[in-house]
């Protein structure tokens, strides 16, 4: 039984829309927020930058954390796009949401749990948790084990364990690792 340990890049935890409860849009008019825009708080200090706008939602990056914010929550201040909150308030909400997400993940991440992929396809059963390493029997087959990192998991809205990767991403990482192993052993 071969256990393939994947060296996958950490998937950034993003918060849900609930992370930023309805920010009072006390601004006079909604700003036309665009990707790359610097966003300022109601105190005039910089909050972060808009990464992208997906329809009615803007993805705001604040100190490396991403937050979906309704586009109509933005106003226009003296310096440009603004929100009716301070950076400290938003960072506090994001950190609280992150801690809540970590707690939910850790509650779902137990030996025997069934995991699904990011596309809601079956992944397998958690066989063992060794520190940050999570060994999964892929498809429930104990001869087909993979090891993912704890950070590659989250709990979905129903508390189910979900890998933040697709089967295709896992397969590609395993193939790349197998190729690297073959090259390093001279095969």
């Amino acid at each position: 039984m071969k256990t393939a340990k994947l060296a996958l890049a950490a998937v950034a935890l993003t918060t849900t829309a609930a992370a930023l409860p309805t920010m009072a849009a006390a601004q006079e008019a909604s700003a036309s927020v665009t990707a790359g825009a610097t966003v300022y708080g109601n105190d005039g200090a910089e909050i972060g930058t808009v990464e992208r706008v997906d329809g009615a939602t803007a993805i705001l990056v604040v100190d490396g954390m991403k937050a979906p914010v309704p586009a109509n929550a933005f106003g226009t201040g003296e310096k440009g796009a603004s929100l009716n909150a301070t950076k400290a308030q938003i960072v506090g909400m994001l950190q609280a949401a992150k801690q809540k997400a970590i707690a939910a993940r850790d509650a779902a991440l137990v030996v025997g749990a069934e995991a699904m992929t990011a596309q809601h396809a079956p992944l397998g059963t958690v066989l063992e948790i060794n520190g940050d390493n999570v060994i999964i029997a892929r498809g429930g087959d104990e001869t087909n084990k993979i090891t993912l990192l704890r950070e590659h998991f989250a709990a979905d809205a129903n508390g189910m364990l979900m890998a933040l990767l697709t089967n295709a991403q896992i397969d590609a990482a395993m193939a790349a690792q197998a190729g690297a192993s073959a090259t390093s052993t001279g095969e």
Side-chain angles (χ1 to χ4, degrees), residues 49-119:
T49 305
V50 175
E51 178 179 84
R52 68 182 186 278
V53 180
D54 294 330
T57 304
I59 304 302
L60 179 64
V61 180
V62 183
D63 290 350
M65 297 178 284
K66 296 181 182 183
V69 180
N72 65 2
F74 292 89
T76 304
E78 291 178 15
K79 297 179 181 179
S82 65
L83 288 171
N84 189 22
T86 64
K87 181 176 182 175
Q89 289 171 321
I90 292 175
V91 167
M93 286 186 270
L94 290 171
Q95 288 173 339
K98 182 178 179 180
Q99 291 307 313
K100 184 177 177 181
I102 288 170
R105 177 208 57 207
D106 289 348
L109 186 55
V110 296
V111 172
E114 292 297 320
M116 64 180 141
T117 69
Q119 294 179 326

Side-chain angles (χ1 to χ4, degrees), residues 1-145:
M1 292 187 285
K2 181 179 175 187
T3 300
K5 184 167 183 176
L6 304 179
L8 300 172
V11 177
L13 287 176
T14 58
T15 60
T16 63
L20 289 177
T22 51
M23 292 182 174
Q27 290 112 348
E28 303 232 343
S30 179
S32 174
V33 68
T34 58
T38 299
V39 178
Y40 298 89
N42 56 13
D43 59 357
E46 184 177 324
I47 292 175
T49 305
V50 175
E51 178 179 84
R52 68 182 186 278
V53 180
D54 294 330
T57 304
I59 304 302
L60 179 64
V61 180
V62 183
D63 290 350
M65 297 178 284
K66 296 181 182 183
V69 180
N72 65 2
F74 292 89
T76 304
E78 291 178 15
K79 297 179 181 179
S82 65
L83 288 171
N84 189 22
T86 64
K87 181 176 182 175
Q89 289 171 321
I90 292 175
V91 167
M93 286 186 270
L94 290 171
Q95 288 173 339
K98 182 178 179 180
Q99 291 307 313
K100 184 177 177 181
I102 288 170
R105 177 208 57 207
D106 289 348
L109 186 55
V110 296
V111 172
E114 292 297 320
M116 64 180 141
T117 69
Q119 294 179 326
H120 302 288
L123 175 61
T125 306
V126 176
L127 291 179
E128 183 181 338
I129 302 169
N130 186 3
D132 285 336
N133 294 318
V134 179
I135 300 171
I136 302 282
R138 210 151 176 210
D141 178 0
E142 291 193 27
T143 63
N144 187 11
K145 297 179 187 176

